[in-house]
Amino acid sequence: MSKKTLITGFPRIGENRELKRAVESYWNGKSTIGELEDKAGELREKHWLEQKKRGIGFISINDFSLYDNMLDTVVMLNAVPKRFIPIRNVTERYFAMARGVKEAAAMEMTKWFNTNYHYIVPELENDMEFHLNPEKILKEYHHAKSLGIHPKINIIGPITFTALSKMSERSDTFSFFNRIFEVYKSLVNVLSELDEEIYLQIEEPIFVKDPCRKYLDLLNPVYNGLSSLSTKIKIIVTTYFENSCEAVEELAGTGIWGVGLDFINGRDNLSVLDWLADKHLVAGVVDGRNIWRNDLQKTKALLCEIAEKIDREKIIVSTSCSLLHIPYTVKNEPENDMNRWFSFAIEKIEEVVLVDKLFRDEPFSSEEEKGVVENMMSHEERKKSELITCPYVTERVRAEGNGSRKETAADRFDVQKKLLDLPSIPTTTIGSFPQTPEIRRARRDYKMGRISCDEYEEEMRKYIDECIHIQEVVGLDVLVHGEPERNDMVEYFGEQLKGFHFTSNGWVQSYGSRCVKPPIIYGDISRKEPMTINWIGYAQSRTKKIMKGMLTGPVTIINWSFVRDDLSRSEISKQIALALADEIDDLQNRAIKIIQVDEAAFKEGYPLRMKNIPEYEEWAVNSFKLTVSKARKETQIHTHMCYSEFNDIIETIELMDADVITIETARSGNRLLNIFKEVGYSKGIGPGVYDIHSPRIPSIEEYKGQIEQRLEVIDSSLFWVNPDCGLKTRRWEEVKPALENMVKAVREIREIREIREDGYESPRE
Ligand code: GLN
Ligand code: ZN
């Protein structure tokens, strides 16, 4: 096989999300495990052949998964948590770990580094009996061989696996590590029987996050240990999403065959190439995280720079990371002038091959020649395109791009308190109410043109009326309209803003069988017309209570989109912020007194390396401040974030200067809340008391316990009571009683407290 090109990993969900359908059909009992396996095999084969036919040298196996690679590694190591052992059928057990069953709760899921992909978090238990289950790998290996492919085997490295695992506080990470490492050794022994040359891509992305010395010290013994087991095994240690300079230094002295590095999001990797003179270098130069067409000439220059340090013959041209994070192919998109600017997984493969030839001055076929010329032209054309630039937007960012609110938070506090006249410990919700089949259908029908605009709006208004009625009966203080018109908190705004493109088939796996279709920000952003006024204004007209306006903030919009690569994030975020600022102004002019700007993805957007944090925080905070800059002192600004871990970012949160923040704490209680007390946080806080991820309905007593506990940490004058997050994934049967109990609990607590404040003994004490 030609050892010049490599794909780190390929999307597995399928060109038309075939894997999603196959897996879900198995879950629903509509197909057998045999049928699911057949479909999986078919997809793997197709994906391998797409790479082979385009001339890729190193084609991965074991990048495929029925649910998640981390979960596959759990199975490979036999690291099955005790509660799943009674499930004897291996497939049922696999999906039970991922999704939970009645007898055993699902394993936790969390984001894979700074991507939007979620992996299953391994749980390590002291009495686990680790041993090797190599069946999946062997099966894929033989299958690929039968197609004339000499595969590269992908696995998650032992250090990353252990570092990302959960274990009880008393456990010793390193004793787990040693036991796990033994299994990796067995794996290498088994694989070395397979062929004369075995290529093993061991992924150790943990080293891109400012690595600790303890893990770095493992690299040498681990990788010398593994590579010395057999001369047939050629190990490539791969990292992605950032530089891994410290790890490279350690790996240089080991017997591994090669190192895979990301030169798109980890350009500092260029500075450690001297160390790698005797290794093969898998050079990640084609961006696996974004969807823009590669600039072949620029990439050639980058490779030439690398070749000053590394022998050309030892350079393997590659993607910067797995292509899991981008859609399948541009070819399935409907005609659009912008399509030729985009490159999805299939197109990235073609780029890797072209770039490789260009770099090595190899002759092109006439087809390839055309490809190179077309590539150059598309870049020229994109640069000049009128679709991208809007002078008005640039000018406005220059003139107004640094705004923030004028009054201090303390001044605003008093004005708002008087004006809003809310009871002590006000109650509210985070925005969305259950998305019923009826409203989903109405949205779909409207999109497909099956119902008229009037019919659609009628349907939505009916639902808003219902939401208001329920909230009034329940007795909440600050109401929401329920967000029935939104299918996604970013898409809803993106569709109404200039500068956003929505693909038809650009699906990316988010977790398991779930996919998302991130918008593409391609040009200057501005608001065409008001985006939420009709709905929120209507909702306010139907109630005497305060109706909270609801917007998605600039940081979240950026973090959940594919972002243009010809303008800095800081500029893009200002453009979005100004569009949202106009929306806030319109809302307050329509008598909306409270406006929430959701920043659900604020924290997950944090850079992997500490040194890049100040820059991120600066644009993230400034764009939030700019978004709310037009809010008058009377307008109360809320923000919402979907987590509770604020220890390291509390100062940044303060700088955002929101009047109230609602966060997720139903599961973590006070443990993570203390930081607000420690820093003397003086603005409103609504720590979630209702876990919206669970169908359980908390009792009044339970709520009271939760609230009293929070009041030990948070001053009652700053305290709000609300659920953890939006309620759109729950059912009304759960939401109604859960909110009823929440409000009743608050009322009882108010009573007790008022009596206390009046100096009377509380009857309950
Ligand atoms: N307002 C949004 C909702 O309630 C917030 C969602 C989120 O934080 N993820 O659905
Ligand atoms: Zn949330």
Side-chain angles (χ1 to χ4, degrees):
M1 83 190 177
S2 132
K3 299 200 185 82
K4 298 183 322 181
T5 50
L6 178 149
I7 302 297
T8 315
F10 195 76
R12 53 210 177 215
I13 204 76
E15 182 166 3
N16 295 305
R17 289 181 292 159
E18 292 88 340
L19 183 60
K20 173 192 177 67
R21 300 218 173 78
V23 169
E24 289 177 357
S25 144
Y26 170 74
W27 290 344
N28 296 334
K30 294 202 184 102
S31 58
T32 63
I33 178 63
E35 285 164 323
L36 174 58
E37 286 290 355
D38 286 349
K39 190 75 211 170
E42 216 176 90
L43 280 172
R44 282 196 296 264
E45 188 164 322
K46 174 175 163 191
H47 300 162
W48 292 331
L49 294 177
E50 291 290 358
Q51 298 174 65
K52 184 175 183 222
K53 132 174 142 200
R54 289 174 173 81
I56 294 297
F58 289 96
I59 296 173
S60 327
I61 63 155
N62 207 36
D63 54 347
F64 189 87
S65 176
L66 289 178
Y67 199 94
D68 167 52
N69 295 118
M70 208 56 167
L71 184 59
D72 296 341
T73 315
V74 165
V75 173
M76 180 185 93
L77 299 168
N78 206 44
V80 177
K82 229 187 266 116
R83 64 184 183 283
F84 300 104
I85 305 251
I87 307 173
R88 302 312 302 173
N89 178 298
V90 288
T91 314
E92 276 170 27
R93 182 194 282 172
Y94 179 84
F95 287 126
M97 290 193 278
R99 311 172 66 223
V101 284
K102 238 195 345 285
E103 317 77 62
M107 291 168 77
E108 203 183 295
M109 204 161 54
T110 196
K111 294 214 179 210
W112 182 242
F113 296 84
N114 56 0
T115 71
N116 243 327
Y117 176 76
H118 302 66
Y119 67 95
I120 297 284
V121 182
E123 296 170 27
L124 301 180
E125 295 167 353
N126 283 324
D127 49 358
M128 261 176 182
E129 286 176 27
F130 299 107
H131 67 73
L132 179 67
N133 294 315
E135 294 75 14
K136 174 175 186 286
I137 296 177
L138 296 180
K139 180 172 165 188
E140 290 192 24
Y141 191 88
H142 295 305
H143 184 185
K145 286 290 278 196
S146 75
L147 299 167
I149 290 165
H150 187 108
K152 159 194 67 131
I153 304 165
N154 287 14
I155 54 169
I156 291 173
I159 308 175
T160 297
F161 181 86
T162 316
L164 296 182
S165 294
K166 274 204 313 200
M167 54 196 87
S168 78
E169 266 165 35
R170 287 173 324 248
S171 305
D172 171 19
T173 313
F174 292 90
S175 100
F176 275 126
F177 177 79
N178 290 332
R179 289 158 66 199
I180 285 168
F181 181 41
E182 289 305 312
V183 187
Y184 276 82
K185 285 194 213 158
S186 321
L187 175 70
V188 169
N189 283 327
V190 168
L191 297 180
S192 62
E193 299 296 311
L194 288 175
D195 248 309
E196 284 315 299
E197 266 185 349
I198 300 287
Y199 290 90
L200 194 53
Q201 168 178 304
I202 309 191
E203 298 170 29
E204 291 285 18
I206 196 71
F207 291 100
V208 302
K209 284 165 94 179
D210 300 307
C212 68
R213 194 67 246 166
K214 274 184 170 169
Y215 289 140
L216 285 166
D217 285 343
L218 288 175
L219 280 167
N220 197 290
V222 165
Y223 286 99
N224 263 335
L226 292 180
S227 39
S228 65
L229 290 173
S230 161
T231 52
K232 295 182 196 164
I233 293 281
K234 315 261 188 257
I235 294 177
I236 305 167
V237 178
T238 297
T239 55
Y240 33 74
F241 307 147
E242 243 300 353
N243 79 74
S244 55
C245 293
E246 304 88 341
V248 170
E249 203 174 326
E250 297 299 324
L251 289 165
T254 69
I256 59 172
W257 185 81
V259 171
L261 300 177
D262 180 339
F263 292 96
I264 300 293
N265 288 304
R267 272 194 94 90
D268 285 355
N269 280 326
L270 284 170
S271 68
V272 290
L273 296 179
D274 281 330
W275 294 96
L276 295 173
D278 71 325
K279 302 273 180 270
H280 288 78
L281 176 70
V282 176
V285 292
V286 170
D287 193 348
R289 282 291 288 279
N290 214 337
I291 47 72
W292 301 103
R293 198 160 176 178
N294 187 279
D295 184 331
L296 299 176
Q297 303 297 340
K298 252 200 204 153
T299 309
K300 177 181 174 175
L302 174 59
L303 282 165
C304 290
E305 192 179 340
I306 293 171
E308 284 169 21
K309 305 281 166 121
I310 307 273
D311 179 359
R312 274 171 188 258
E313 292 309 307
K314 288 192 162 163
I315 296 177
I316 299 156
V317 177
S318 163
T319 51
S320 65
C321 62
S322 168
L323 301 177
L324 181 70
H325 310 290
I326 54 174
Y328 193 90
T329 178
V330 182
K331 294 186 186 77
N332 294 338
E333 290 305 309
E335 251 324 285
N336 183 307
D337 283 347
M338 276 183 289
N339 285 352
R340 59 174 167 272
W341 304 344
F342 305 149
S343 165
F344 299 168
I346 290 287
E347 292 76 28
K348 298 272 176 185
I349 298 176
E350 291 164 359
E351 290 174 350
V352 166
V353 173
L354 276 186
V355 147
D356 173 64
K357 286 199 167 174
L358 202 61
F359 166 55
R360 293 180 216 277
D361 288 326
E362 281 175 14
F364 290 124
S365 68
S366 61
E367 192 66 13
E368 287 167 336
E369 187 76 55
K370 243 174 58 198
V372 175
V373 173
E374 216 223 311
N375 181 287
M376 258 158 53
M377 275 164 42
S378 80
H379 284 286
E380 284 310 307
E381 184 250 334
R382 182 176 157 211
K383 256 186 243 154
K384 290 193 216 122
S385 169
E386 282 177 2
L387 292 171
I388 291 180
T389 44
C390 175
Y392 158 77
V393 174
T394 325
E395 176 48 32
R396 187 168 176 210
V397 166
R398 205 189 49 76
E400 302 173 42
N402 292 310
S404 62
R405 299 180 85 176
K406 281 157 213 72
E407 302 79 10
T408 64
D411 287 346
R412 298 191 312 251
F413 187 89
D414 293 333
V415 177
Q416 290 165 14
K417 195 171 163 55
K418 222 159 106 203
L419 183 88
L420 298 174
D421 193 28
L422 291 164
S424 71
I425 314 183
T427 55
T428 189
T429 61
I430 307 301
S432 57
F433 274 120
Q435 296 244 324
T436 58
E438 294 76 39
I439 63 164
R440 283 178 200 276
R441 188 173 336 110
R443 270 203 315 262
R444 227 181 7 247
D445 284 350
Y446 177 49
K447 219 171 184 168
M448 311 287 278
R450 289 193 288 252
I451 57 173
S452 70
C453 182
D454 286 348
E455 286 168 305
Y456 167 73
E457 290 190 351
E458 177 68 35
E459 188 90 9
M460 295 296 121
R461 279 198 291 265
K462 220 170 72 201
Y463 186 82
I464 292 173
D465 286 346
E466 266 166 44
C467 288
I468 292 174
H469 177 70
I470 292 168
Q471 295 173 88
E472 285 180 337
V473 171
V474 163
L476 285 151
D477 301 309
V478 172
L479 311 196
V480 295
H481 78 295
E483 303 182 23
E485 78 287 14
R486 305 182 190 180
N487 112 60
D488 176 275
M489 64 191 286
V490 170
E491 188 175 89
Y492 179 75
F493 290 93
E495 277 177 342
Q496 301 186 76
L497 290 164
K498 276 196 195 146
F500 281 77
H501 173 72
F502 287 84
T503 61
S504 293
N505 206 25
W507 296 100
V508 177
Q509 194 174 10
S510 160
Y511 66 88
S513 67
R514 272 295 181 96
C515 297
V516 292
K517 223 168 35 161
I520 298 174
I521 300 179
Y522 66 87
D524 289 341
I525 297 161
S526 59
R527 195 177 69 142
K528 294 177 233 172
E529 54 192 4
M531 304 180 282
T532 63
I533 314 297
N534 277 347
W535 302 120
I536 312 278
Y538 171 77
Q540 182 65 85
S541 75
R542 309 288 287 175
T543 179
K544 291 207 165 55
K545 292 217 163 166
I546 295 175
M547 179 57 58
K548 180 160 67 165
M550 199 56 65
L551 306 173
T552 303
V555 182
T556 300
I557 292 183
I558 286 189
N559 285 340
W560 287 349
S561 301
F562 290 120
V563 179
R564 61 193 281 196
D565 55 357
D566 57 349
L567 193 68
S568 69
R569 283 178 187 232
S570 134
E571 285 298 298
I572 301 170
S573 70
K574 284 182 185 174
Q575 296 181 353
I576 302 175
L578 286 171
L580 293 170
D582 291 346
E583 188 73 16
I584 289 187
D585 200 25
D586 286 343
L587 283 167
Q588 64 188 0
N589 288 337
R590 286 282 291 266
I592 301 300
K593 299 189 178 75
I594 300 184
I595 300 167
Q596 178 173 311
V597 180
D598 287 321
E599 279 296 18
F602 189 88
K603 196 163 182 206
E604 72 190 42
Y606 264 70
L608 296 165
R609 289 272 178 180
M610 218 104 85
K611 76 167 209 246
N612 300 324
I613 290 180
E615 190 211 332
Y616 173 79
E617 288 184 334
E618 190 178 312
W619 73 254
V621 170
N622 285 345
S623 65
F624 188 87
K625 284 166 62 177
L626 182 58
T627 301
V628 301
S629 59
K630 290 193 183 179
R632 292 190 282 268
K633 59 179 183 300
E634 295 82 7
T635 305
Q636 187 168 74
I637 296 293
H638 289 213
T639 188
H640 164 71
M641 298 187 181
C642 306
Y643 34 80
S644 48
E645 189 67 86
F646 287 91
N647 284 11
D648 44 349
I649 62 166
I650 188 78
E651 277 136 33
T652 313
I653 299 299
E654 287 223 74
L655 289 175
M656 289 171 69
D657 200 27
D659 298 311
V660 178
I661 183 170
T662 56
I663 61 177
E664 175 175 324
T665 54
R667 283 192 193 185
S668 57
N670 277 10
R671 189 165 54 84
L672 296 160
L673 212 53
N674 279 313
I675 187 70
F676 287 90
K677 185 176 184 177
E678 278 162 32
V679 300
Y681 193 83
S682 57
K683 293 168 209 130
I685 314 175
V689 291
Y690 167 29
D691 175 9
I692 61 100
H693 302 289
S694 161
R696 230 171 45 86
I697 299 159
S699 67
I700 301 180
E701 284 310 307
E702 189 180 334
Y703 275 123
K704 277 168 66 186
Q706 289 259 22
I707 295 167
E708 289 288 7
Q709 193 194 17
R710 304 281 187 289
L711 280 167
E712 288 165 16
V713 183
I714 294 168
D715 192 281
S716 61
S717 65
L718 305 174
F719 193 60
W720 286 69
V721 168
N722 45 262
D724 267 347
C725 191
L727 298 162
K728 72 172 174 201
T729 54
R730 297 257 64 88
R731 294 177 309 142
W732 276 116
E733 297 90 278
E734 299 148 7
V735 166
K736 256 192 253 174
L739 292 179
E740 248 163 44
N741 287 353
M742 184 179 95
V743 170
K744 282 185 189 147
V746 171
R747 284 189 177 146
E748 288 187 20
I749 285 178
R750 275 181 199 149
E751 244 168 62
I752 299 169
R753 297 220 146 216
E754 265 153 24
I755 293 168
R756 273 195 210 137
E757 277 154 23
D758 290 350
Y760 291 104
E761 282 284 294
S762 156
R764 280 160 210 263
E765 273 178 354

